[in-house]
């Protein structure tokens, strides 16, 4: 079951400048940043709010790390802007299977690694009324050590 908006992915040419825009304009701070070589992106997650299921909602700012990355290709064609939306679920495998049964193309056979150790997959935008849609299961919260 999809229970929240996990993030909105925003493609940009210059991650540092875009981070600074969100900080200076709205006061949003970087919660986490990383490079995901498999996805070909350098990214910053800005936490917007916590959610009732223990998760959170973020903006995911994305800068391509290489010219053949999906985000680089998209930026060439569209310029900067909203690239995808991501729904949060406790079980990305089950939700991807259920969406696939409904005839929507799921882009990965098995979920791959996303931000902060999450597991992610994508649904083809042409099957989702023009919206590239990601499904995300956050990494389990580690229990505190005593
Ligand atoms: N939103 C909406 N439509 C999109 C899109 C997007 N982000 N990206 C591509 N499309 C559309 C194109 O406009 C194009 O439509 P037309 O045929 O009408 O022109 C069609 O889909 C095919 O696009 P393309 O430019 O030829 O691109 P590809 O088919 O090579 O790739 C896609 C498209 C969705 C398969 C690819 O972008 C993909 O695999 N995405 C998932 C991975 C990803 O985006 N990773 C980066 C984010 C990582 C993260 O969130 O952590
Ligand atoms: Co994303």
């Amino acid at each position: 079951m999809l229970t929240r908006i996990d993030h909105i992915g925003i493609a940009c040419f210059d991650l540092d400048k875009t981070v600074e825009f969100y900080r200076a304009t709205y006061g949003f701070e970087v919660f986490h940043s990383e490079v995901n070589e498999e996805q070909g992106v350098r990214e910053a997650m800005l936490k917007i709010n916590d959610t009732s299921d223990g998760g959170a909602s973020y903006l995911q700012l994305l800068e391509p790390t290489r010219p053949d990355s999906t985000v680089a290709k998209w930026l060439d064609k569209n310029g900067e802007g909203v690239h995808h939306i991501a729904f949060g679920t406790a079980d990305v495998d089950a939700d991807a299977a259920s969406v696939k049964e409904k005839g929507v193309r799921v882009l990965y056979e098995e979920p791959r690694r996303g931000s902060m150790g999450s597991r992610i997959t994508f649904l083809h935008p042409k099957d989702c009324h023009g919206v590239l849609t990601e499904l995300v299961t956050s990494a389990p919260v580690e229990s505190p050590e005593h």
Side-chain angles (χ1 to χ4, degrees):
M1 192 180 35
L2 308 177
T3 48
R4 64 195 156 85
I5 294 188
D6 185 275
H7 62 269
I8 296 173
I10 297 173
C12 61
F13 292 118
D14 185 323
L15 186 64
D16 298 336
K17 279 193 184 149
T18 309
V19 162
E20 178 52 20
F21 169 81
Y22 279 94
R23 195 199 60 72
T25 310
Y26 309 114
F28 297 145
E29 301 288 348
V30 175
F31 179 80
H32 172 83
S33 59
E34 69 180 78
V35 172
N36 185 329
E37 280 301 350
E38 184 181 21
Q39 294 292 336
V41 295
R42 189 161 85 89
E43 61 173 79
M45 299 295 274
L46 315 183
K47 196 196 254 192
I48 308 303
N49 58 275
D50 291 302
T51 59
S52 57
D53 61 2
S57 294
Y58 303 88
L59 295 183
Q60 180 184 42
L61 306 180
L62 300 159
E63 179 195 86
T65 52
R66 44 185 161 83
D68 64 340
S69 100
T70 55
V71 172
K73 193 172 170 187
W74 190 87
L75 278 166
D76 281 347
K77 193 168 162 186
N78 303 284
E80 296 186 311
V82 174
H83 177 259
H84 65 273
I85 61 167
F87 295 121
T89 165
D91 190 345
V92 63
D93 301 270
D95 283 313
S98 142
V99 166
K100 190 176 174 183
E101 266 176 28
K102 291 171 185 155
V104 173
R105 276 169 288 171
V106 176
L107 296 181
Y108 303 151
E109 283 282 320
E110 291 292 329
R112 296 184 186 172
R113 194 183 66 75
S115 315
M116 297 178 275
S118 59
R119 296 176 68 240
I120 62 172
T121 196
F122 289 89
L123 313 180
H124 201 288
K126 290 294 175 189
D127 296 346
C128 302
H129 295 265
V131 178
L132 175 59
T133 304
E134 179 181 350
L135 307 181
V136 186
T137 295
S138 307
V141 180
E142 285 175 28
S143 48
E145 288 174 31
H146 294 288

